[in-house]
Amino acid sequence: LLGGGEDGPQMAALDLLIRDGGVNRAVAAGGAVLAVCAGFQLIGTQLPGADGRMVAELGLVDAWTQYDQRPRSVGEVVVRSHEHPDQVWTGFENHQGVTRIGPTMTPLGHVLRGVGNGLDDGDGWQRVEGVHHGAVFGTYLHGPVLARNPELADEVLRAAVGPLEPFIDEWADQLAQERRATLW
């Protein structure tokens, strides 16, 4: 799990993660990663540093982040899963970055409400949220994202440990449905 953080600590964490190389080795060996918010930005290929110049990132996915004059993205977000269109996931986003994913990457989902990776302003930005590539998941969904979205938790667990027997948690499913109903 790579979580979010403020700009200074985010850049310090990136430096340590690159120098250590453990996350990249783990993914190369089949490990799973869930990267949320600033963590999502760190798994890409480049990100603006404190001076505005682009800095190399972990390179686990073909994605890059930029900062511009767009308003900060804050609020509830609702996403339809790209790989499972019958599933709708929710979260709370709070980020300044606008993240593009490369043409060979799969978005985690398609934005129904909120901003996700970037604003759809006619310049080619897709109304998508996150990225899913192999066992690597990147998202701007806070929430906590896994507690709010049991189906996504199952996807991440399958990526980490392999096939799982079906587990039905009616209470968790009911809570997720109630949460989603408040956002439509």
Side-chain angles (χ1 to χ4, degrees):
L1 172 65
L2 296 175
E6 297 173 347
D7 293 347
Q10 174 181 329
M11 297 311 287
L14 175 61
D15 181 58
L16 291 171
L17 291 168
I18 289 173
R19 282 192 285 139
D20 175 73
V23 172
N24 292 73
R25 286 192 305 277
V27 169
V33 171
L34 173 63
V36 180
C37 198
F40 174 25
Q41 295 176 358
L42 296 183
I43 65 172
T45 57
Q46 59 183 355
L47 171 77
D51 61 2
R53 287 186 289 178
M54 297 307 271
V55 174
E57 297 178 297
L58 294 173
L60 300 176
V61 295
D62 181 13
W64 59 100
T65 299
Q66 68 183 50
Y67 303 125
D68 58 20
Q69 300 304 311
R70 299 171 202 229
R72 186 171 189 80
S73 300
V74 178
E76 293 291 333
V77 61
V78 179
V79 176
R80 181 170 311 281
S81 168
H82 179 79
E83 295 173 358
H84 307 282
D86 59 319
Q87 296 178 15
V88 175
W89 301 329
T90 68
F92 185 85
E93 60 187 342
N94 183 0
H95 60 93
Q96 184 66 40
V98 178
T99 302
R100 290 187 193 224
I101 62 174
T104 62
M105 296 290 106
T106 302
L108 194 61
H110 301 274
V111 177
L112 301 174
R113 176 180 173 190
V115 176
N117 291 5
L119 299 173
D120 183 10
D121 59 5
D123 70 352
W125 288 93
Q126 300 170 331
R127 298 258 317 153
V128 299
E129 203 296 312
V131 66
H132 177 206
H133 182 67
V136 178
F137 299 81
T139 184
Y140 282 118
L141 297 175
H142 297 87
V145 64
L146 297 180
R148 283 177 75 159
N149 303 288
E151 305 92 348
L152 179 58
D154 290 346
E155 288 291 315
V156 173
L157 283 172
R158 275 191 286 279
V161 300
L164 298 171
E165 292 293 319
F167 177 76
I168 305 300
D169 184 337
E170 292 178 15
W171 186 70
D173 291 340
Q174 180 183 354
L175 288 175
Q177 291 301 328
E178 287 176 13
R179 180 67 185 161
R180 292 171 188 149
T182 66
L183 299 173
W184 290 86

